[in-house]
Amino acid sequence: MTSNIVLRGLQVGDIGWVAHRQGILYAQEYSWDGTFEALVAEIAAQFVKNFDPVNENAWIAESDGQVVGSVFLVKVSDAEAKLRLLYVEPEMRGTGLGRRLTQECILFAKARGYQKLSLWTNDILHAAKHIYQTAGFELMSEETHHSFGHDLVGQYWALDLKN
């Protein structure tokens, strides 16, 4: 249940926190190296530097004043937005928070008139993939890559928002 969770916009310090927590969590859970944390930091920093408040948004989930998850929506073009950096703290997994954050992105993208919402993930992130599938995203393509110290299969997913 996510009723005691507040979703808010970005505040100073959130970018560092998101990079820090995602770096630690993915190192613990998947043995990914520091290049993943660096990628998260780069994506988040670019979001802040280039932020378009009309067409982009970020949601930070808090429970009792503690950050427990986040997600970003970034403009790709007038027709497409991208869901980025979805994460949920381990103690909040299974509560529906990941679905709620994903739904916020979908609703925002539809309200802004985007025709497509896309994302990139890795096939080993089973819980995230389940959230995306449940929300209606379709797997468009896969590609092997060596990143974060491992051989991985990257996946590109998209959701048609025209309906």
Side-chain angles (χ1 to χ4, degrees):
M1 177 143 204
T2 59
S3 59
N4 67 331
I5 295 175
V6 175
L7 298 186
R8 63 165 175 79
L10 281 180
Q11 297 174 357
V12 173
D14 287 337
I15 295 301
W17 176 260
V18 168
H20 166 80
R21 287 304 297 153
Q22 287 203 26
I24 288 172
L25 290 172
Y26 284 89
Q28 291 172 343
E29 296 175 6
Y30 300 100
S31 300
W32 289 2
D33 65 23
T35 60
F36 178 72
E37 182 180 3
L39 176 63
V40 173
E42 286 174 17
I43 291 168
Q46 287 303 312
F47 180 84
V48 172
K49 285 181 180 179
N50 302 313
F51 182 54
D52 174 353
V54 173
N55 297 302
E56 298 178 320
N57 208 344
W59 295 265
I60 303 295
E62 282 188 351
S63 178
D64 299 322
Q66 297 296 312
V67 176
V68 293
S70 62
V71 70
F72 295 73
L73 183 130
V74 179
K75 178 180 178 176
V76 175
S77 70
D78 288 343
E80 181 180 351
K82 191 175 220 179
L83 184 153
R84 313 269 343 233
L85 303 178
L86 174 66
Y87 105 97
V88 174
E89 287 288 340
E91 68 272 14
M92 298 306 295
R93 293 179 186 161
T95 66
L97 179 56
R99 285 188 302 278
R100 182 175 169 194
L101 289 165
T102 300
Q103 194 61 34
E104 289 294 328
C105 283
I106 293 168
L107 293 172
F108 183 89
K110 284 182 176 180
R112 294 307 182 274
Y114 289 113
Q115 296 176 22
K116 179 166 82 169
L117 183 58
S118 63
L119 64 92
W120 181 85
T121 191
N122 283 285
D123 72 336
I124 62 170
L125 304 179
H126 301 292
K129 289 187 336 183
H130 179 73
I131 290 168
Y132 304 141
Q133 283 178 304
T134 303
F137 283 84
E138 294 182 21
L139 178 61
M140 306 305 288
S141 63
E142 294 183 306
E143 185 176 3
T144 59
H145 63 102
H146 186 84
S147 302
F148 325 128
H150 295 273
D151 291 327
L152 299 167
V153 178
Q155 296 182 324
Y156 174 76
W157 293 73
L159 176 65
D160 183 352
L161 299 174
K162 294 185 295 257
N163 301 354

